[in-house]
Amino acid sequence: MDSGHREYHVQREIIDEQRLKERSQRMDPSQINLPISHRLKKSLSCSTPRLKHSIVGFLPVLSWLPRYSIWDYGMPDLISGISVGIMHLPQGMAYALLASLPPVFGLYTSLYSPLIYFIFGTSRHISIGTFTILSIMIGSVTERLAPDSDFLIYNGTNVTEEVDIISRDFYRVQVAAAATVLGGLIQVVLGLVQFGFVGTYLSEPLVRGYTTAASAHAVVAQLKYILGVSPKRFSGPLSIVYTLADLFMLLPETHLPTLLASVVSIVVLITAKELNTALRQKLLVPIPVELCTIVVATVISFYTRLNETYKISVVGEIPSGLQPPSIPNANVFSEVVLDAFAMAIVGYAISISLGKTFALKHGYKVDSNQELVALGLSNTVGGFFQCFSVCSSMSRSLIQESTGGKTQIAGVVSGVIVLVTVLKLGSLFQELPKAVLAAIVFVNLKGMFKQYYDIVTLWRSSKIDLLIWLVTYVSTVLFNLDMGLGASMGFALLTVIFRTQRASYSLLGHLPGTELYLDMETHKEVREVQGITIFHSSATMYFANAELYLEALKKKVNIFYLNLYHTNLSTCNHNFIFTLQKRAFREASQRSKKAVFSVEEEAGQLKETNGDIHREVELGWRERENSTVFVIPETVRTSDGHHTWMYLKGTDPDTATLGSVSDLHDGDTTTLDSSSEDTLSRDLERVSLGSLGKWTWDIHSIILDFSTANFIDTVAIKTLRNIFHDFGEIGVDIYLAGCQALVVEQLERGGFFSDVITEGRVFATVHDTVLYCLKHRGAEIVHSYENALDMSGTRL
């Protein structure tokens, strides 16, 4: 082979975008992106298999109930359902109190929701019903729209301190039902339009911070029942602060018998639960601690007449039987729409996360969109029966799963237990002290209190996740549950934008013996491909970080633009110019042989005072393995507006020569036709790119690794086009590597490709791009890379 004209043959085929289309036989985009009319026609077409699949998908019970085995699943589901139903009774009444509603409506909620979910749900183990967080959210709505001050009893012209409890509770039930129905409709609509992914926007740190803050609201809400006082009701931002301040002022009025009943109940519940946990391996089913507590407390209250003797507040009348369905009050929809949306999202996020946890453990699949529909119908139908918002409960779901529950038959059994209680046993709990229900809520929040330890865990693992947790907690505590959720979601999305803006940028090198290209700063074994720079970004380039991407690229490849700041050359005298020349030459000579002296980056300052005129020129340099180049003004601007510029060049500063820009070739301008400071920077950029690049550039190709990009917008396309153009002016070729098919399609639609920038500039992998560059631009240095490629099975 002729040494003067070598030909390099690549045994491995180089795959660019054009060859990829030819080899993969990619489908015509017109066949993929069908017109809307065709897609609509296809979606509305009906066949027997498709109809059956749609019905079974909407009614999942039809897929498993016909195959239900009583012998295999009957007894476990029965035991599990009884256990969960026993838990429903105390929790339903206690969480109704948390929602500022009469306790019987908690029983209604525990009855209807499991029956609806049994038909439409896809999870086999979650227990749908009352839950702490949603009860708090309902309570904030009912107390805001139906405060005690609106139901004071009038005696003639005087207003008493007595509240019309019956009228107040009736309106609060209407408000809760309206919010529940509206939230359920939102969930159904989101499920039907396949928006099941909406729960993914609630990250785990956000949900845990939110539930921890909600538990703080729950504790404050129960303090009035535990202390036996009647604080003022506050709503809106900082309401929890005002409530705590009012409770502190009322501490001297604490009702001691109520406080004693609360403390005794809390101690008994905590002790019994700990014993339950310690003996769970030996027990067939857990001891129903809460049910035993309310039964004993009711019996004691009934025989000792705690309400009459010690003025301890009790539950009061619990009507027997079921309430007929009624249409919610649509007049309050506009006032609760934001709260309903927040409850819909939070309830779904809690339910789907718990459902997926059990599904993964037991090896079945949960349909996120169908879960939205099932939860939404549970809320919508329940709202017509005066129920309030529901979702899955962690404690009840764990009992349902740990006691051997196999299907949602267990939920039906639990509903039957609640139904019997409502029809026949409800009146027996009329003497139950409210302090005991408050103690049940307080003790059940123990798991959420443990979430404060997340601060320590997240501090060690992720500072940004810790910040999300803290912002969520603080905003939810101070701004209430609805505004806190919106603020925390907005902040979480901002952190995503911030992370993409502050992406990490690196230069990649070749790992010998492989086709891998790794970060040269973090991997010692990788080697730079001579004459080729491979630029990698950890994030997608789009409008928010396109400018940062460009700046990082310039910095990594050491491109520079000459610029001169704060200098009015029209008034510079010869002494100043002469001093500037000497200082520039001395600075350049003292630098390393591998340096480029640049005006753009500030490394030092030269100041000269001539009379009352202050002159300042900023000088800078950066390390590079090439010649030294510096350009300075040689003379002041002449009467016709021209400057003469001096440059210093040479591979050795000791032998570097001074010359003028007139020595440049290829028609470069010898003077700068700048009539004002506004045009000076633009003229200097033209000189630096068109002239200096010929002396300072030691690479011939730049590869942009786009393997991390999953989309590209018009701003990024424009930035890419400018990169191709600017580097092309100084003889450096730009290539894209690792683009996904969607990104290539977006580049085509955005008009990126042209006669100058063809699809031949886009390659399947970084290695293909390197092989192409070495074949077409790197013949003179190819042998320095040939051995490494031979080791990886690729030969030049």
Side-chain angles (χ1 to χ4, degrees):
M1 183 180 296
D2 185 8
S3 59
H5 179 70
R6 294 181 178 178
E7 295 182 0
Y8 298 91
H9 300 281
V10 182
Q11 294 181 352
R12 178 194 185 281
E13 183 181 6
I14 300 174
I15 306 297
D16 59 14
E17 184 61 27
Q18 293 176 342
R19 288 185 174 86
L20 184 61
K21 287 183 177 180
E22 296 172 358
R23 292 284 299 275
S24 62
Q25 297 181 353
R26 187 179 298 170
M27 293 179 62
D28 188 353
S30 62
Q31 299 178 4
I32 302 174
N33 302 318
L34 296 175
I36 297 179
S37 59
H38 288 121
R39 282 184 286 175
L40 185 61
K41 181 179 179 181
K42 184 178 180 180
S43 63
L44 295 179
S45 62
C46 184
S47 62
T48 301
R50 184 166 187 171
L51 179 62
K52 181 180 178 181
H53 182 269
S54 300
I55 294 176
V56 172
F58 187 71
L59 300 172
V61 67
L62 299 178
S63 65
W64 60 267
L65 187 59
R67 303 193 303 269
Y68 185 80
S69 175
I70 297 178
W71 298 108
D72 294 334
Y73 301 150
M75 186 56 67
D77 281 342
L78 179 63
I79 297 174
S80 176
I82 294 174
S83 303
V84 173
I86 291 173
M87 290 187 67
H88 267 302
L89 299 178
Q91 289 188 2
M93 290 189 289
Y95 293 157
L97 208 64
L98 198 58
S100 299
L101 298 173
V104 69
F105 290 95
L107 297 179
Y108 296 154
T109 304
S110 301
L111 167 62
Y112 292 107
S113 55
L115 301 180
I116 302 300
Y117 186 82
F118 161 76
I119 300 173
F120 298 97
T122 60
S123 175
R124 304 174 189 172
H125 295 92
I126 64 174
S127 173
I128 297 295
T130 56
F131 185 61
T132 313
I133 306 303
L134 293 185
S135 299
I136 299 169
M137 299 177 77
I138 285 290
S140 66
V141 177
T142 55
E143 292 189 1
R144 186 183 78 240
L145 298 182
D148 289 346
S149 58
D150 291 353
F151 299 92
L152 298 177
I153 298 176
Y154 290 83
N155 289 331
T157 58
N158 298 325
V159 181
T160 66
E161 294 294 330
E162 189 176 354
V163 178
D164 187 354
I165 296 178
I166 297 178
S167 299
R168 182 201 65 184
D169 289 347
F170 177 77
Y171 188 66
R172 284 183 176 179
V173 169
Q174 287 186 320
V175 171
T180 301
V181 169
L182 189 57
L185 291 175
I186 292 173
Q187 289 174 327
V188 171
V189 171
L190 291 177
L192 293 177
V193 297
Q194 308 294 300
F195 259 59
F197 65 87
V198 70
T200 59
Y201 289 103
L202 301 179
S203 64
E204 183 179 358
L206 188 151
V207 172
R208 292 178 68 87
Y210 185 80
T211 53
T212 306
S215 68
H217 281 278
V219 170
V220 174
Q222 298 307 298
L223 285 177
K224 61 182 179 181
Y225 299 110
I226 293 175
L227 300 176
V229 296
S230 300
K232 297 178 182 179
R233 297 183 183 273
F234 301 93
S235 60
L238 302 179
S239 60
I240 189 174
V241 178
Y242 300 140
T243 302
L244 284 174
D246 196 32
L247 285 170
F248 181 78
M249 298 296 294
L250 293 174
L251 282 179
E253 303 178 14
T254 300
H255 191 241
L256 294 181
T258 301
L259 178 61
L260 180 62
S262 302
V263 172
V264 171
S265 300
I266 291 174
V267 172
V268 170
L269 284 168
I270 292 177
T271 303
K273 282 180 175 287
E274 292 299 324
L275 290 174
N276 223 0
T277 303
L279 300 175
R280 63 183 176 182
Q281 300 294 339
K282 301 179 180 180
L283 298 175
L284 179 63
V285 294
I287 299 174
V289 177
E290 286 116 338
L291 181 62
C292 294
T293 303
I294 65 173
V295 169
V296 173
T298 302
V299 172
I300 294 175
S301 175
F302 178 77
Y303 285 104
T304 59
R305 299 187 181 278
L306 294 179
N307 184 29
E308 298 176 4
T309 306
Y310 300 102
K311 304 300 179 183
I312 295 178
S313 178
V314 296
V315 169
E317 182 182 359
I318 297 179
S320 298
L322 301 175
Q323 294 287 331
S326 61
I327 300 176
N329 186 358
N331 295 326
V332 300
F333 279 176
S334 59
E335 300 180 79
V336 300
V337 60
L338 294 179
D339 304 277
F341 183 81
M343 287 185 286
I345 299 301
V346 172
Y348 169 69
I350 294 172
S351 296
I352 194 64
S353 61
L354 196 58
K356 287 185 175 181
T357 299
F358 287 120
L360 183 63
K361 180 178 180 180
H362 293 277
Y364 63 91
K365 183 179 180 181
V366 170
D367 187 338
S368 57
N369 293 309
Q370 183 60 29
E371 283 297 294
L372 258 179
V373 174
L375 198 60
L377 289 175
S378 299
N379 282 314
T380 303
V381 176
F384 284 94
F385 290 91
Q386 290 82 51
C387 302
F388 54 90
S389 291
V390 297
C391 69
S392 62
S393 166
M394 172 69 78
S395 59
R396 292 195 308 272
S397 299
L398 287 175
I399 292 299
Q400 182 167 323
E401 189 260 350
S402 62
T403 54
K406 303 297 183 181
T407 67
Q408 280 300 326
I409 291 291
V412 175
V413 175
S414 69
V416 172
I417 299 295
V418 176
L419 177 62
V420 172
T421 303
V422 171
L423 294 178
K424 299 298 181 180
L425 305 177
S427 58
L428 299 179
F429 295 106
Q430 292 181 2
E431 294 298 322
L432 174 64
K434 290 183 178 180
V436 176
L437 294 178
I440 292 174
V441 173
F442 190 87
V443 173
N444 283 339
L445 292 173
K446 182 183 67 172
M448 294 187 182
F449 295 154
K450 293 180 179 179
Q451 293 180 168
Y452 284 101
Y453 189 73
D454 289 350
I455 297 176
V456 178
T457 304
L458 293 176
W459 173 263
R460 296 170 180 171
S461 59
S462 173
K463 300 298 189 298
I464 293 182
D465 285 342
L466 172 62
L467 192 60
I468 293 175
W469 195 100
L470 292 175
V471 169
T472 302
Y473 179 84
V474 173
S475 61
T476 304
V477 167
L478 297 181
F479 302 139
N480 285 342
L481 299 173
D482 50 353
M483 289 185 287
L485 178 63
S488 58
M489 289 182 67
F491 180 79
L493 293 177
L494 283 178
T495 61
V496 176
I497 297 174
F498 175 80
R499 294 189 211 194
T500 58
Q501 282 188 311
R502 297 298 176 185
S504 60
Y505 302 98
S506 58
L507 296 182
L508 306 184
H510 179 245
L511 181 63
T514 70
E515 294 186 1
L516 299 179
Y517 294 82
L518 306 175
D519 187 354
M520 291 192 295
E521 295 183 359
T522 58
H523 297 80
K524 297 181 180 180
E525 297 298 324
V526 300
R527 298 290 181 264
E528 181 180 6
V529 184
Q530 192 171 355
I532 301 175
T533 296
I534 306 171
F535 182 74
H536 173 81
S537 171
S538 63
T540 297
M541 181 171 67
Y542 67 114
F543 71 92
N545 64 0
E547 188 66 27
L548 297 174
Y549 184 95
L550 179 60
E551 293 300 323
L553 176 63
K554 292 179 182 179
K555 183 178 181 180
K556 288 292 184 181
V557 300
N558 280 341
I559 187 173
F560 65 90
Y561 292 88
L562 290 179
N563 208 342
L564 199 61
Y565 301 98
H566 314 303
T567 304
N568 188 349
L569 295 177
S570 61
T571 57
C572 290
N573 58 30
H574 290 283
N575 291 333
F576 170 67
I577 294 297
F578 181 70
T579 304
L580 177 62
Q581 291 176 348
K582 292 193 299 182
R583 175 64 181 273
F585 186 84
R586 183 171 64 253
E587 294 285 353
S589 300
Q590 291 174 354
R591 307 311 300 172
S592 169
K593 294 183 180 181
K594 300 178 180 180
V596 171
F597 208 64
S598 170
V599 183
E600 182 184 9
E601 296 187 3
E602 180 178 356
Q605 292 182 345
L606 176 65
K607 299 180 180 179
E608 180 75 17
T609 304
N610 182 14
D612 58 348
I613 301 176
H614 181 72
R615 309 283 180 258
E616 179 179 325
V617 176
E618 299 182 359
L619 304 175
W621 56 85
R622 56 170 73 122
E623 299 297 327
R624 275 192 68 81
E625 297 181 359
N626 50 22
S627 304
T628 301
V629 175
F630 178 63
V631 177
I632 57 175
E634 182 182 19
T635 61
V636 298
R637 185 167 60 185
T638 59
S639 59
D640 58 357
H642 290 271
H643 292 299
T644 302
W645 291 77
M646 187 78 70
Y647 70 89
L648 169 67
K649 67 177 182 177
T651 57
D652 188 345
D654 296 330
T655 61
T657 59
L658 280 172
S660 64
V661 180
S662 58
D663 292 333
L664 303 178
H665 302 290
D666 300 333
D668 293 322
T669 55
T670 57
T671 59
L672 295 179
D673 189 8
S674 302
S675 58
S676 66
E677 288 187 33
D678 296 335
T679 60
L680 179 60
S681 177
R682 184 177 66 252
D683 293 334
L684 288 175
E685 285 189 11
R686 185 177 70 247
V687 171
S688 64
L689 284 177
S691 305
L692 297 179
K694 293 183 175 61
W695 298 320
T696 62
W697 220 245
D698 60 350
I699 61 175
H700 55 73
S701 301
I702 297 177
I703 301 172
L704 305 180
D705 182 10
F706 260 55
S707 58
T708 59
N710 54 6
F711 73 93
I712 191 168
D713 60 8
T714 56
V715 176
I717 291 176
K718 182 178 179 181
T719 302
L720 274 180
R721 193 182 295 116
N722 291 337
I723 291 174
F724 273 74
H725 176 268
D726 292 344
F727 282 91
E729 282 192 341
I730 55 176
V732 177
D733 293 333
I734 305 293
Y735 301 93
L736 301 181
C739 292
Q740 300 180 29
L742 178 61
V743 174
V744 176
E745 291 178 8
Q746 291 172 343
L747 289 172
E748 292 174 348
R749 290 197 300 267
F752 175 73
F753 297 111
S754 62
D755 295 337
V756 179
I757 306 175
T758 65
E759 290 186 345
R761 296 287 190 98
V762 181
F763 290 84
T765 66
V766 173
H767 193 61
D768 285 297
T769 320
V770 170
L771 294 178
Y772 178 86
C773 295
L774 292 177
K775 178 181 179 182
H776 291 81
R777 294 290 302 268
E780 66 278 5
I781 49 88
V782 72
H783 285 298
S784 65
Y785 190 61
E786 189 173 16
N787 292 335
L789 292 177
D790 283 336
M791 294 176 64
S792 64
T794 304
R795 184 176 181 180
L796 295 178

